[in-house]
Structure formats: C-alpha cells, structure tokens
Amino acid sequence: MINTERMERLYEASVEGNPTVLQTLLQKDPLILDKVALNQNDDMPLHIASMLGHIDFVNEILARKPKLSMECDSQGRVPLHMASAKGHVDVVKALLSANPEACVACDRDGRNPLHIAAVKGRYEVVKELVRAQPHAARAMVEQETILHLCVKHNQLEVLKLLIESMGDHEFLNTKDADGNTILHLAVADKQIETVNFLLFNTTIEVNASNTSGETSIDVLAQGPSDLKDQQIIRLLTQARGVDMKNESLFEEKPQNSISKLGSDNTKYNKKPHVKKDSKNNEDWLDKKRNTLMVVSSLIATMAFQAGTNPPSGVWQDNSIGQAGYAVMVYNHPKLYHTFLVCNTVGFVSTLSIILLLISGLPFLKHRVFMWVLMVIMWIATASMSLTYLVSISVLTPKPEAETFKNVVNGIVLVWIGLMTLLVAGHAIRIMEIFHKSPISRKKANVTPIIIQHT
C-alpha cells in the first residue's frame, strides 16, 4: 500500500519540479515510483514533470529508474508524448537518452511522439526525434502518414523539415484511405504556400488521382470558390496539372499564332488553359442578384411608408368626416394623383423584382433576363425620384417653392437622363446579342483562302 501523505507530496514535488523532495521520499520509500507506476494513473511523476518541462526532476527520476520512460498512462502515452506535445527540447533529449525506443511508442490513437510534435508544430522537437529514430516518421496513423497530419494541421515548416530529412519520393506520394496525396489535402484546404512548396520544391505527383479518380484540380472545384482559387489554379497549371474529369479545361495551342504551310519545324507548346467564362458569368450574376435584392427591399420599404404616410400627413379631426384621409388629397388633388401613381409604380416594380429573384426560375441565370430586371429597377428608381419631387413641392412654402422647384427639377431631369442613357446602352447590348447568330459568328472566324490558278 502507498502512503497517502507521501503520494500527495510526490505529486506536489512533480508539479513544482522539486528534486529535493523527491530524494527525501525515495530515501523513506525506495519503491515509491514503482508503486505509482503500477496504478497507471494520469498523474505519474515523470509524466507530469515531462509535461511541465522540469528537466532537473526528470533527470533525477531517470538516473534512478530509467525504465519509467516507457511507462504508459491510461491513454497509452509515455512521458516522451507529453514532452513532445509541449515542445520541451531538453526533456525530450533526456528521455531519448534513457530509451530511444520511446520515440516509436504509440498511444491509444496510434500516434507516436513524433506525430504529436508534428501536429503541434514543435519544429526543434521534430528535428531531435527524427535524428534519434528516423523510421518513426514512417509509422502510419489510420492509413495516414505524418505528412498528411502536417498538411491537415497546416504545419508547413515541419512538413518542409520532414521532406528534406527523408527525401523519399514514394513516401512523399503515399495516399491515405481515400487515395488522397498531401497535394490533394493542401489544395482542398487552399493552403497556397504549401501547394507552392510541394509543386516546385518536391517530386510530388501533380496529376495523381484519388479513389474517386479526382486530381487536385478536381478537388479544388468541389469547394466554395474564392480569391485563393485563382492563385492555386495558376500554380497547378504552371506545374502541368490536369483535370481528369474535365480535360477540356486544358487545350493544346500552337506556340506561334501564325504557322506556315509546308513548314517542317512547327512547334507546339502544351499550355493548360482554364476556362473561367462560365465561372465569371456566374459570379457576375450572383453579385447582380444580391445587389438587386438589397436595393429592391429598400425601395419597397420606402414606397410603403410613403404610401401609408403621405406628405402633409392625414386629417386628425373627424368633425367633417375626413379623419384618416390624406391632407394632400384636398389641398393638392392633382399632385396627389401624380404622387400616388409614381409611388405605386415604384412599389410594384420592386416587389416584382423581389418575387422574381426568390422564385429561382432557371431563365434568371442568363444575362439577358438580368438586364431586364435592371430595366425594371430603373423604372422603380425613376418613379421614386418623381415621388420625391412631388413630396418636396407639396411641403415647400410658395415663396421658396418656385426657386427650389426649378433646382430640383433640373437635378431630377439630369438624373433621369443619365438613367435613360444606361438603359439605352443595355438595350443596344441585348439587340446585339439577339442579332448575332451562330452562322455569323462562324463566318467571322473563317480565314479566307486565296487559291492561285496557274
């Protein structure tokens, strides 16, 4: 049986890293460390001291009981696991000196201390462990190499160290359970620096495919697109990356744009060419749809508030049966009619845009129909500008009304003229699209050939 008081003092000494207390306890009970190890608890002294980096305490234990460096806690971890995770290089060296085989000891998850250090990014610890036991880096964890773990946890510097230390082409291109190389993982996670290093500083196989037949470019296309995609695609194309599922993304182009008939020295340079037209078109449509939705919602809200609370307000007195009716109806009947028509047109136009955008109809994915929605938005904005003009005219006193009215009229007319030019420009573009037939486009691409008769 272990004395409870001594056990508590041993635990406190390991936490504080006090070798003097340890020596005192060993004098009273030389087997106290062995007795603690039998329980296989998580608070074993050497594990605690290794985790906290108490090198003197660790050396004191190893000098008396070097075999304790291979004792496991409840999770199957040896003290080297703890020191490697925390990056205590001095403790790691001491534990390796006591027993280098601790480097290949695996915990319950199948990870050895080198795996733990790599995942945590402990560069100096990884260097020491690889120097002591190079073959520990080749141990697999659930069909993944230590290189896969480095990429998954974005530890580029450790990845560089391991690749430079091992220099093994076959191990570099090892695949995981899904057939993914470390390049697949780096591209999927959009680690630009890692992708650049692998492509231009290693012998990674650029066009390796996984169990689904997907190359790294295929994997990139499956995720959400952002600005990093263009950089990664540029790197992959420079490294001759091929899209196995869509080889039309790449095409052979002649090195010189002009080739001479009868020449035997025509050279072709195979350059991957990524077609981004469809992607750019989709991005453009998404931005336009989002913009139209936001602006339409704002204009619809403004029009609703203006319709339910017109300029000058409503009658509050019900003595003549007018309570709740617009004051503008009686004071400015003609202007109120104009106000009501313009406000209603703006309100209905924006509601129509919102309804079309949320309907998800397939024809809305074309630029032509998006231009139609923009024309409707022009009508809505023009109507709201007229609504504003009528409202200000009603609310402005007569002495100042004429001057203000002339200024506002001029500004509004200029603005409406600008909008008219924009609509005209879009209309011309639509007409050009409809008038361009496939036959005319083919004719435009035909190079005339002159045959000389002799």
Side-chain angles (χ1 to χ4, degrees):
M1 296 295 293
I2 302 177
N3 186 286
T4 304
E5 183 180 355
R6 291 177 183 174
M7 184 66 177
E8 292 178 356
R9 291 186 63 189
L10 180 60
Y11 174 78
E12 293 174 358
S14 61
V15 172
E16 297 173 359
N18 192 335
T20 304
V21 176
L22 175 62
Q23 295 171 0
T24 303
L25 293 173
L26 287 172
Q27 289 176 358
K28 295 180 179 179
D29 186 357
L31 299 178
I32 187 172
L33 293 175
D34 299 283
K35 294 176 181 178
V36 173
L38 290 175
N39 294 329
Q40 211 174 27
N41 294 326
D42 293 337
D43 56 355
M44 288 187 287
L46 187 55
H47 284 74
I48 295 174
S50 299
M51 179 176 62
L52 298 178
H54 298 318
I55 182 62
D56 293 336
F57 194 92
V58 170
N59 286 331
E60 185 66 27
I61 294 179
L62 294 177
R64 297 172 180 269
K65 301 286 183 180
K67 292 184 178 180
L68 293 179
S69 61
M70 293 299 293
E71 290 292 337
C72 300
D73 61 7
S74 61
Q75 301 299 318
R77 298 170 299 194
V78 297
L80 188 58
H81 281 96
M82 319 299 287
S84 300
K86 292 298 183 179
H88 301 308
V89 181
D90 293 338
V91 177
V92 168
K93 291 179 179 179
L95 292 170
L96 288 175
S97 298
N99 195 335
E101 292 302 318
C103 192
V104 296
C106 296
D107 59 13
R108 294 179 61 179
D109 296 325
R111 297 186 178 188
N112 60 38
L114 183 55
H115 294 139
I116 301 296
V119 168
K120 295 291 185 178
R122 311 302 185 187
Y123 185 89
E124 296 298 328
V125 172
V126 171
K127 186 185 297 185
E128 291 296 330
L129 295 176
V130 171
R131 183 182 298 136
Q133 295 287 346
H135 62 278
R138 300 183 181 277
M140 304 284 285
V141 182
E142 296 180 354
Q143 299 188 34
E144 290 183 335
T145 67
I146 190 172
L147 303 182
H148 287 88
L149 295 177
C150 288
V151 175
K152 279 189 172 183
H153 293 84
N154 198 15
Q155 300 295 348
L156 177 57
E157 295 304 319
V158 175
L159 179 69
K160 291 179 179 180
L161 173 62
L162 290 169
I163 293 177
E164 293 171 359
S165 301
M166 301 176 68
D168 189 333
H169 173 78
E170 182 178 355
F171 185 71
L172 174 66
N173 291 279
T174 302
K175 300 180 179 181
D176 61 11
D178 297 321
N180 293 316
T181 64
I182 56 176
L183 181 60
H184 282 92
L185 299 183
V187 170
D189 198 35
K190 300 183 181 180
Q191 299 177 18
I192 297 177
E193 293 184 6
T194 304
V195 172
N196 183 71
F197 169 74
L198 292 175
L199 291 176
F200 302 106
N201 296 277
T202 70
T203 59
I204 192 72
E205 295 178 3
V206 183
N207 300 321
S209 57
N210 57 19
T211 54
S212 300
E214 299 169 341
T215 64
S216 53
I217 290 185
D218 296 322
V219 174
L220 181 65
Q222 293 178 0
S225 60
D226 54 28
L227 295 177
K228 294 182 179 179
D229 287 19
Q230 297 180 2
Q231 301 180 50
I232 295 177
I233 289 175
R234 189 181 304 113
L235 294 174
L236 289 171
T237 52
Q238 289 176 0
R240 298 296 185 267
V242 175
D243 184 350
M244 300 299 292
K245 288 192 172 182
N246 189 7
E247 294 184 359
S248 63
L249 287 174
F250 304 93
E251 60 185 19
E252 290 188 0
K253 291 186 177 180
Q255 187 175 9
N256 298 322
S257 58
I258 301 177
S259 59
K260 296 182 180 180
L261 295 175
S263 174
D264 296 331
N265 297 325
T266 304
K267 296 181 181 181
Y268 290 89
N269 182 20
K270 187 176 180 181
K271 294 184 179 180
H273 175 69
V274 181
K275 292 185 177 180
K276 300 181 182 177
D277 292 343
S278 59
K279 180 180 177 181
N280 293 336
N281 182 63
E282 184 177 353
D283 292 341
W284 181 86
L285 291 175
D286 288 338
K287 292 179 180 179
K288 291 297 181 183
R289 280 194 289 264
N290 294 335
T291 303
L292 287 174
M293 177 64 75
V294 173
V295 176
S296 299
S297 301
L298 291 175
I299 294 179
T301 303
M302 293 166 53
F304 178 82
Q305 292 178 350
T308 56
N309 188 21
S312 300
V314 297
W315 294 104
Q316 303 297 327
D317 188 6
N318 198 29
S319 59
I320 57 175
Q322 296 176 342
Y325 290 99
V327 176
M328 189 177 174
V329 177
Y330 299 93
N331 295 340
H332 306 279
K334 293 183 179 179
L335 290 178
Y336 180 76
H337 178 73
T338 304
F339 166 82
L340 191 60
V341 171
C342 294
N343 190 67
T344 303
V345 170
F347 183 67
V348 174
S349 299
T350 51
L351 287 183
S352 301
I353 293 175
I354 294 173
L355 181 61
L356 288 172
L357 289 176
I358 66 177
S359 64
L361 296 175
F363 64 79
L364 293 175
K365 296 182 179 179
H366 300 283
R367 285 176 175 260
V368 175
F369 294 100
M370 188 57 59
W371 287 333
V372 172
L373 291 181
M374 293 173 65
V375 172
I376 298 175
M377 177 58 69
W378 175 85
I379 296 174
T381 52
S383 300
M384 294 308 298
S385 66
L386 293 175
T387 301
Y388 171 79
L389 177 61
V390 173
S391 301
I392 295 300
S393 300
V394 172
L395 297 175
T396 306
K398 287 187 177 181
E400 293 84 6
E402 293 300 325
T403 303
F404 183 78
K405 182 178 179 180
N406 293 332
V407 174
V408 173
N409 284 341
I411 295 174
V412 173
L413 288 177
V414 170
W415 185 80
I416 293 177
L418 177 61
M419 294 298 101
T420 303
L421 291 176
L422 291 177
V423 173
H426 285 300
I428 293 173
R429 292 180 65 183
I430 295 174
M431 293 174 62
E432 289 179 351
I433 292 176
F434 280 116
H435 282 81
K436 268 191 175 182
S437 62
I439 297 177
S440 63
R441 286 196 294 269
K442 288 182 179 180
K443 289 182 178 180
N445 293 329
V446 174
T447 303
I449 300 175
I450 300 175
I451 303 176
Q452 183 178 0
H453 295 279
T454 57

